Amino acid sequence: MKRMDIRARLLLTALLPVTTLGLVLAAVFLLGWVTDVSDAHQQRARLMARQMASASEYGLFSGNTAHLQSVVNGALQEPDVVWVGLVNPQGQLVAQSGRPPPSHLPTLTAGESLIPDALRRQDWLVQPVLASQIPLDDLFDAGSPSSDAPPPLGHVVMAFSRETLDQREQRLIWVGVAVTLAGMLFGGVLAWRLGRGLIEPIMEVSAVIDRIARGNLSARALAPPDDPMRDLKLGVNHMAMRLEQGRDELEQRIAMATRALRERTEEAETATLAKSRFLAAASHDLRQPTHALGMFVARLSQLPHDDETRQLISHLETSVQAMQALLDALLDISRLDAKSVQVRSRPFALSEVFAQLSNSLTPLALQQGVRLRILPTTAWLLTDPALLSRILLNLVSNALRYTPQGTVLVTCRRTADGQHARLQVWDSGIGIAPEDHEAVFREFYQVGNRERDQGKGLGLGLNIVQRTARLLGLPLQLRSALGCGSRFSVLVPLAPITEGQVHQLAPIAEPNDPLRGLGVLVIEDNALVREGLVGLLRSWGCEVGVADGQAEALQLLLHGPQTHVLISDYRLGHGNNGIDLIQHLRHTVGWALPACLISGDTDPVVIHSAQQAGLTLLHKPVRPAKLRSLLRRLAAAPGTGGPAGAHGGDSGLE
């Protein structure tokens, strides 16, 4: 229901007492007027009845009916008289005039009586006719009055119509209503004229307040001296002035705070940029010796040593692998944070991922005395196979790490809707308490490893799993309890299987080691890294050519031994980079020579450029096993034998 505005309320306030007073006065006066008219009507009727009684006294006494009839006929000439009748003492009607008499006459009483007849809208008046008492002057009579009244000579019965009375009452009512309405109209006009002088200033103040509420703080109300709302308007103007001053002051403070915030933001951005440059340089500089150290340790482990030296080299290799794992995990997290990882969803056979998982982790499971079971599957999934492989690799590695004995099981089950597959990693390890289910996905959080034993991992695997699953949009679930093992589940959409989706790697041509006799051209300007890499490649039986720049690499490629694979660092001297160099060498020889990049740069731009060029990018420090696996794939790629079999560049590895 819409509420009344101030105008309607003021008008109602003015009209309500006027209307109430007018109605009360009209009711009082109308009631008085109607009563007076009714009393006058009754008095007139009684007066006429008494006159009739006086006029008919002689006729009734003498029995002169002709005289009585003339009296009755004369009375009928009076207004409102409907019927007149004279009744003798015996109750007989001796004279009448007017409308037909009623079937039953009113009760004849010794006194005067007025009987209303509401049905006929008439009043019956019964008046007794008494003999006149004339006192006689008798000298000898004491003149004591008799106490007995003489009987009446008869009765006068008259019927008076109330039509004239009703008409008068109606006229009085209409006049009263008209007077009341006129009074209300006059009162309303007067109230409106009087309230107008108050309503308009209030409405003006309301309009000013509305403008202020809309943000126009410069709005002011006019306040002339004779204005009844002058004090209120001055108060509103003062309030608007204070608000305007406060707004201006607040805007100045906001501008100053914004300026200071902008300066601090620029300082923070400058510091962040400097930190990023420092971290990039530090990361690159740290990865270079770590990469060389890994190559030297791998080469050193291949030489004959006594038991004590071999044990020392084993500890050294473990330390290097832990450092490399930490750098790789930090690289994965930084790439996920920087959103530089591009998702390339495509249909693929899950069996290929399971086969890679088995080849990578079966030796670790055997070393720890844990049974690793990966159930075969024919499912085809639709997601990024490289990122899914990284999720499964971290989950299974984590399961093996926290399972002292027992089994780690990897399965794939179709869901009830037939649209998804649920990949599950089960283990019979130590389990995770319910209160730690969320904490285990945080960085560097490990259950039961407060001493930070590197043999139990770094506490980054599950964090990388959660971030990667979120990037792929795959729901990740954990179910575990202390002493009951753990189960990690990933829900992946299924892909329809078609003949064109089947993809298998080409078999290796060599029956034994494909790396023996493989021509590898290494382009590296860092002497320490170059020496470690070359030594490791030669220990694998590769024919290695070494160059530190474009000119030397081109000379060896054209006039040196046959080159099957290029391995180039990204950063080269004189502002050159490995991507441009590989493309230039391919263009020079006229075929897509298999190649890969090795770099300590973690810049997303470098990663994106390598992907655009179709080159595999390995981040330093590179694990020897990973490099060996990559060389095997490149050696088995079509076109490795020379231009005659060229089919383009390699697809690369994640």
Side-chain angles (χ1 to χ4, degrees):
M1 181 178 179
K2 186 177 180 181
R3 301 181 64 181
M4 295 185 296
D5 59 5
I6 190 171
R7 294 182 180 180
R9 292 188 178 189
L10 286 176
L11 185 59
L12 181 61
T13 303
L15 284 179
L16 189 59
V18 173
T19 304
T20 304
L21 181 60
L23 291 176
V24 171
L25 292 177
V28 171
F29 284 113
L30 284 176
L31 183 61
W33 293 342
V34 170
T35 302
D36 292 342
V37 171
S38 178
D39 291 343
H41 173 76
Q42 294 179 6
Q43 292 294 335
R44 178 172 171 273
R46 287 188 175 91
L47 181 60
M48 291 183 61
R50 291 169 184 172
Q51 291 178 352
M52 282 289 299
S54 299
S56 59
E57 178 183 355
Y58 174 75
L60 288 173
F61 175 77
S62 62
N64 189 352
T65 57
H67 173 71
L68 294 176
Q69 187 63 40
S70 63
V71 171
V72 170
N73 292 335
L76 192 64
Q77 303 301 319
E78 294 294 329
D80 301 329
V81 178
V82 178
W83 183 83
V84 181
L86 294 176
V87 182
N88 60 17
Q90 290 76 28
Q92 296 176 352
L93 189 65
V94 296
Q96 64 172 340
S97 180
R99 297 177 183 177
S103 57
H104 299 284
L105 292 176
T107 302
L108 304 178
T109 61
E112 183 182 75
S113 62
L114 180 66
I115 303 172
D117 186 357
L119 181 63
R120 294 185 176 88
R121 299 301 298 164
Q122 296 177 355
D123 290 332
W124 290 94
L125 189 63
V126 178
Q127 179 68 39
V129 180
L130 300 176
S132 300
Q133 298 293 326
I134 301 175
L136 299 178
D137 188 8
D138 190 354
L139 181 61
F140 302 100
D141 189 2
S144 57
S146 177
S147 59
D148 296 331
L153 300 177
H155 291 82
V156 176
V157 181
M158 300 182 68
F160 292 88
S161 174
R162 297 182 62 88
E163 292 182 0
T164 303
L165 178 62
D166 292 339
Q167 292 176 0
R168 290 180 181 178
E169 290 180 352
Q170 291 179 0
R171 284 198 299 269
L172 288 176
I173 291 174
W174 283 113
V175 170
V177 171
V179 171
T180 302
L181 292 178
M184 291 175 59
L185 179 61
F186 175 76
V189 173
L190 182 61
W192 178 76
R193 293 295 299 272
L194 294 177
R196 184 177 180 182
L198 182 62
I199 293 175
E200 290 184 353
I202 293 177
M203 296 304 297
E204 183 180 354
V205 173
S206 176
V208 172
I209 294 176
D210 183 67
R211 290 166 60 189
I212 294 174
R214 294 177 182 272
N216 184 12
L217 300 182
S218 61
R220 298 292 185 271
L222 299 177
D226 57 345
D227 195 330
M229 306 294 292
R230 175 180 173 81
D231 293 339
L232 178 60
K233 291 183 177 180
L234 291 177
V236 171
N237 293 340
H238 181 68
M239 177 192 68
M241 181 183 65
R242 294 292 299 273
L243 288 175
E244 188 175 16
Q245 293 176 352
R247 182 193 62 182
D248 295 341
E249 182 179 356
L250 183 60
E251 288 178 350
Q252 293 177 0
R253 292 183 179 179
I254 292 176
M256 294 175 61
T258 304
R259 192 180 306 110
L261 180 61
R262 187 182 299 112
E263 293 175 355
R264 288 186 174 85
T265 303
E266 292 175 354
E267 293 176 359
E269 290 177 352
T270 303
T272 302
L273 184 60
K275 182 184 70 174
S276 300
R277 287 196 298 265
F278 169 76
L279 291 178
S283 175
H284 180 272
D285 295 342
L286 179 62
R287 289 173 182 275
Q288 290 285 86
T290 306
H291 174 66
L293 180 60
M295 300 295 104
F296 285 130
V297 170
R299 179 71 184 94
L300 185 61
S301 64
Q302 297 175 355
L303 300 178
H305 301 285
D306 54 33
D307 293 341
E308 185 177 358
T309 305
R310 189 176 297 106
Q311 185 178 6
L312 183 61
I313 293 174
S314 176
H315 292 330
L316 181 61
E317 187 174 8
T318 302
S319 300
V320 172
Q321 290 177 356
M323 185 182 299
Q324 291 175 346
L326 176 60
L327 290 175
D328 289 341
L330 293 176
L331 173 63
D332 289 339
I333 291 179
S334 64
R335 291 175 62 191
L336 291 171
D337 285 338
K339 299 181 180 180
S340 61
V341 179
Q342 295 184 357
V343 178
R344 292 182 172 85
S345 297
R346 64 175 178 85
F348 67 93
L350 182 60
S351 58
E352 297 181 1
V353 176
F354 277 7
Q356 295 176 5
L357 197 64
S358 178
N359 294 335
S360 301
L361 296 179
T362 298
L364 178 61
L366 293 175
Q367 181 181 356
Q368 296 185 189
V370 178
R371 184 185 179 190
L372 175 60
R373 291 189 59 197
I374 302 179
L375 299 184
T377 179
T378 59
W380 280 69
L381 306 182
L382 181 61
T383 186
D384 190 314
L387 295 179
L388 181 63
S389 177
R390 178 62 59 88
I391 291 176
L392 294 176
L393 183 65
N394 279 284
L395 289 177
V396 177
S397 299
N398 192 75
L400 292 173
R401 187 175 298 114
Y402 289 96
T403 305
Q405 59 182 359
T407 303
V408 174
L409 177 65
V410 182
T411 64
C412 173
R413 293 187 175 92
R414 296 177 184 269
T415 57
D417 60 3
Q419 302 296 322
H420 297 81
R422 193 180 304 277
L423 306 184
Q424 296 179 333
V425 178
W426 301 68
D427 67 70
S428 58
I430 61 175
I432 304 172
E435 59 269 18
D436 292 328
H437 282 190
E438 295 184 3
V440 294
F441 291 101
R442 296 203 299 260
E443 298 93 336
F444 299 105
Y445 185 89
Q446 291 178 291
V447 178
N449 190 20
R450 296 183 179 180
E451 64 277 7
R452 303 300 301 170
D453 182 6
Q454 294 294 330
K456 297 182 180 180
L458 304 170
L460 295 174
L462 292 182
N463 181 261
I464 294 175
V465 167
Q466 186 185 54
R467 294 180 185 224
T468 307
R470 189 180 299 126
L471 177 65
L472 294 175
L474 305 180
L476 176 66
Q477 295 179 349
L478 166 63
R479 183 176 180 181
S480 180
L482 284 177
C484 300
S486 303
R487 185 190 70 186
F488 290 87
S489 303
V490 182
L491 195 65
V492 186
L494 290 169
I497 303 176
T498 61
E499 184 178 355
Q501 292 174 343
V502 180
H503 173 70
Q504 295 179 350
L505 295 176
I508 301 177
E510 290 80 5
N512 297 320
D513 191 353
L515 300 185
R516 186 165 302 279
L518 182 69
V520 180
L521 177 57
V522 176
I523 308 171
E524 174 64 67
D525 60 344
N526 187 291
L528 184 63
V529 176
R530 184 173 63 242
E531 183 179 353
L533 180 58
V534 170
L536 182 62
L537 292 174
R538 286 176 178 171
S539 69
W540 292 341
C542 299
E543 299 292 335
V544 184
V546 182
D548 60 358
Q550 177 176 328
E552 189 175 356
L554 185 59
Q555 182 69 21
L556 289 174
L557 189 61
L558 295 177
H559 304 290
Q562 184 178 6
T563 300
H564 302 100
V565 178
L566 291 175
I567 299 178
S568 175
D569 188 21
Y570 177 74
R571 286 191 184 184
L572 299 173
H574 308 290
N576 297 322
N577 64 74
I579 297 178
D580 295 338
L581 175 58
I582 292 175
Q583 291 178 343
H584 177 71
L585 295 178
R586 284 178 171 178
H587 179 73
T588 301
V589 300
W591 65 289
L593 184 64
C596 70
L597 283 174
I598 297 179
S599 176
D601 282 294
T602 59
D603 189 354
V605 177
V606 176
I607 300 173
H608 181 70
S609 299
Q611 293 174 347
Q612 292 294 109
L615 295 173
T616 300
L617 175 61
L618 299 178
H619 285 92
K620 298 177 182 179
V622 178
R623 298 182 181 181
K626 190 173 185 179
L627 178 60
R628 187 182 182 93
S629 176
L630 174 61
L631 288 178
R632 286 178 176 176
R633 293 179 181 273
L634 294 178
T640 307
H647 293 281
D650 59 288
S651 61
L653 296 173
E654 288 290 339

